[in-house]
Amino acid sequence: MNITTIILAAGKGTRMRSELPKILHKIADKPLLRHVYDMSHHLDNNHIKIVVGHGAELVIETLKDLNVSWIEQKQQLGTGHAVQQVSDQITDDDTVLILYGDVPLLKLATVKQLLANVGQQSLALLTVDLKDPTGYGRIVRNTEGQVIKIVEEKDSTAAEKSIQEVNTGIMALQGRKLKKWLNQLGNNNAQGEYYLTDVIEMAVADGFTVATNQPETVDEVLGVNNRIQLSHLERVYQQEQANRLMELGVTLKDPLRFDLRGSIESLGQDIICDINVILEGKISIGNHVNIGANTHIKNSVIGDHVEILANCVIEDAVIGQGSRIGPYARLRPESVLAEEVHIGNFVEIKKSSVGKGSKINHLSYVGDTSVGSRVNIGAGTITCNYDGVNKFRTVIEDGAFIGSDTQLVAPVTIGKNATIGAGSTITKDSPENQLTLSRSKQISLAGWQRPVKKEKS
Ligand code: UD1
Ligand code: CA
């Protein structure tokens, strides 16, 4: 079966009160429209066509990597009119699937069930029962229970308004028939719009039956019209992710205070996340890893037995097995830590490698540096890597000991097992095995007296 998926995404989204087109607003840091695309992308032999209107240029620019055809609907004259824009691109023998760019959490399983309901003489419609159906198109059935039409709220009678089964808008049908029915659409209704929903009545008139199925949860078919609905679906999505991770063996101290904004590439067992952990981008985590409260990790690889204490920010980093990070540590892009490295509080690492067993425990900045193994970097050490124009590298060889409050002015190399005295400003290479220090001599003034406060006259 060949599929043409048409995603409607031309609407303005007035109630978002935003400069951004609605479908570019994000759930889990991913545009709503991309959620819909990613789901439908999993269908085989599928050609995806997206109807855009408001902010079309920005939408296409933002999502230019999608493998789709973009179709512009210049004026938004209704859902039927939107699908009409694609009419000449629909192959007769294709099954056409209609989706919406602002309905982000629809599941593949639900769509597959819908597609299975399309037959020679039947079209498939996804419906849902709502306690409060206000605003939705109602599914009207005859006394035998067969669907005969959809009536929009604004065109409905009092009796029809009491129907709780509503149209999700999501449907699937033969391309040949859809094109025929689209040609017959009019706009003689309360809103003066071309309603896609009128296709149902036409199908029934042509002897078709309407096969309906329902999603597992209502949330799957909810659209985003305002920021309250956006936040609701964000929480639904996050709860799903949390449940998935817990099923895979991750302990979340509070699944309501955990956020995944990306994808888990690989996941070990016995990972424990304290509250307010945010995992973003592509993340790999080994076995027996503890992640402390309020920690934000982005695009990083974390080895086995790593302990990350509270309040760390980690981006584009690799953390080797058995390392301990934080609390309050910041690993910036291209930080590569070998095994058993200790990075302590208020330490910032950038574009640096740190060898096995090295320790940078307090209040330091290490940037553009290669740190060997078994190196100890004392509190308050700063690599001065930037002269205001160029960046330079620092090399600290194996076993070196850097005394506290030291500035290493790059480019500079600290030799193997070298010791740097505390408080030094190191501007030249320091030889292996020696003590190097740059420090003014300490003096004491024997006759010195503290000043005394002057009497007020
Ligand atoms: C539509 C359905 C209604 C259903 C409801 C579910 C019709 C006539 N009605 O109503 O039965 O219960 O969805 O949410 O189809 N769009 C375009 N171009 C347009 C008009 C709309 O791309 O010219 C897009 C919008 O961006 C939106 C979607 O289609 O994503 C639905 O449009 P909307 O105007 O919200 O339809 P409803 O009136 O809610
Ligand atoms: Ca709507």
Side-chain angles (χ1 to χ4, degrees):
M1 177 171 64
N2 286 315
I3 301 169
T4 296
T5 296
I6 301 172
I7 305 177
L8 302 191
K12 184 164 186 208
T14 311
R15 282 177 285 159
M16 294 301 284
R17 298 186 183 279
S18 175
E19 277 187 4
L20 201 63
K22 175 166 73 173
I23 49 174
L24 292 183
H25 281 264
K26 292 173 176 177
I27 282 180
D29 210 34
K30 180 161 100 175
L32 300 177
L33 180 54
R34 192 185 281 277
H35 281 268
V36 181
Y37 171 84
D38 284 350
M39 183 278 293
S40 51
H41 189 59
H42 284 109
L43 295 167
D44 294 330
N45 306 316
N46 184 17
H47 293 96
I48 303 174
K49 301 180 188 294
I50 305 182
V51 181
V52 284
H54 280 280
E57 222 168 284
L58 181 61
V59 172
I60 295 169
E61 173 58 26
T62 306
L63 299 172
K64 56 174 177 273
D65 62 305
L66 302 192
N67 182 18
V68 301
S69 328
W70 299 98
I71 292 105
E72 204 175 334
Q73 183 194 22
K74 294 219 162 63
Q75 268 183 300
Q76 282 71 56
L77 303 179
T79 50
H81 181 260
V83 178
Q84 278 174 344
Q85 309 311 303
V86 194
S87 228
D88 58 2
Q89 295 187 32
I90 297 172
T91 307
D92 282 351
D93 293 330
D94 274 15
T95 296
V96 178
L97 169 67
I98 309 287
L99 302 176
Y100 299 82
D102 58 356
V103 179
L105 301 190
L106 183 65
K107 290 212 157 53
L108 187 61
T110 305
V111 169
K112 283 186 170 166
Q113 206 188 332
L114 182 85
L115 289 168
N117 283 343
V118 179
Q120 277 308 312
Q121 287 297 315
S122 65
L123 66 77
L125 184 65
L126 189 67
T127 72
V128 69
D129 294 320
L130 295 181
K131 277 206 185 72
D132 177 11
T134 309
Y136 287 87
R138 307 298 204 282
I139 307 296
V140 182
R141 292 177 184 266
N142 63 17
T143 46
E144 277 88 61
Q146 291 159 326
V147 175
I148 52 169
K149 63 174 178 175
I150 296 173
V151 59
E152 293 303 299
E153 166 103 9
K154 286 182 179 148
D155 302 291
S156 63
T157 62
E160 287 164 343
K161 281 195 177 70
S162 71
I163 298 171
Q164 289 181 312
E165 186 185 10
V166 306
N167 174 33
T168 65
I170 295 155
M171 63 173 85
L173 64 175
Q174 289 167 30
R176 179 181 294 106
K177 289 294 170 185
L178 173 61
K179 286 197 285 191
K180 176 186 175 223
W181 297 324
L182 283 175
N183 270 326
Q184 301 172 22
L185 285 185
N187 64 350
N188 184 17
N189 52 53
Q191 303 183 81
E193 285 181 7
Y194 295 89
Y195 290 166
L196 179 62
T197 45
D198 285 350
V199 157
I200 303 298
E201 209 173 347
M202 294 173 190
V204 171
D206 278 358
F208 272 62
T209 56
V210 179
T212 61
N213 67 303
Q214 297 216 341
E216 211 164 287
T217 66
V218 174
D219 294 321
E220 271 190 61
V221 295
L222 291 183
V224 172
N225 295 304
N226 60 41
R227 297 189 198 234
I228 298 170
Q229 293 165 339
L230 182 69
S231 75
H232 170 71
L233 292 185
E234 174 83 37
R235 287 344 297 166
V236 170
Y237 179 87
Q238 292 301 345
Q239 184 71 59
E240 277 175 11
Q241 303 311 308
N243 288 346
R244 187 168 64 86
L245 292 195
M246 290 189 288
E247 273 163 11
L248 289 171
V250 177
T251 294
L252 299 177
K253 292 291 183 186
D254 183 355
L256 298 178
R257 287 179 289 173
F258 168 81
D259 286 81
L260 178 63
R261 299 174 189 161
S263 59
I264 302 281
E265 305 287 290
S266 81
L267 195 68
Q269 279 188 347
D270 298 309
I271 296 161
I272 300 176
C273 290
D274 210 328
I275 60 166
N276 297 331
V277 168
I278 300 172
L279 302 180
E280 194 175 327
K282 292 186 173 156
I283 300 284
S284 294
I285 309 177
N287 296 307
H288 304 286
V289 171
N290 281 332
I291 303 176
N294 312 316
T295 286
H296 188 166
I297 305 175
K298 185 174 178 182
N299 294 328
S300 292
V301 177
I302 297 163
D304 296 341
H305 297 281
V306 166
E307 183 152 17
I308 298 170
L309 301 166
N311 301 301
C312 292
V313 178
I314 296 168
E315 182 179 357
D316 287 317
V318 177
I319 303 177
Q321 183 173 332
S323 292
R324 198 182 69 210
I325 314 297
Y328 297 100
R330 179 166 184 213
L331 302 182
R332 289 173 53 202
E334 296 179 56
S335 296
V336 179
L337 315 184
E339 306 92 84
E340 289 151 45
V341 167
H342 289 185
I343 303 295
N345 37 222
F346 306 105
V347 171
E348 175 180 345
I349 311 278
K350 187 215 79 174
K351 227 181 197 176
S352 295
S353 58
V354 181
K356 183 173 176 179
S358 290
K359 298 183 170 77
I360 311 170
N361 271 330
H362 331 267
L363 301 158
S364 292
Y365 171 63
V366 174
D368 303 304
T369 300
S370 306
V371 179
S373 54
R374 294 171 292 100
V375 169
N376 193 316
I377 294 184
T381 296
I382 293 170
T383 55
C384 308
N385 58 332
Y386 187 50
D387 62 7
V389 188
N390 300 299
K391 297 247 168 81
F392 300 97
R393 288 200 71 82
T394 299
V395 176
I396 304 174
E397 294 181 346
D398 295 349
F401 181 100
I402 314 294
S404 296
D405 191 26
T406 292
Q407 300 94 53
L408 303 170
V409 182
V412 70
T413 296
I414 310 300
K416 233 178 183 174
N417 297 319
T419 299
I420 305 298
S424 296
T425 299
I426 301 296
T427 55
K428 288 180 280 205
D429 291 355
S430 306
E432 292 184 14
N433 298 312
Q434 295 181 23
L435 170 67
T436 300
L437 74 168
S438 78
R439 194 192 280 168
S440 44
K441 259 209 162 76
Q442 181 169 330
I443 57 168
S444 302
L445 302 182
W448 181 82
Q449 281 190 337
R450 282 188 189 173
V452 283
K453 194 159 187 162
K454 281 183 187 153
E455 289 293 324
K456 276 194 188 141
S457 52

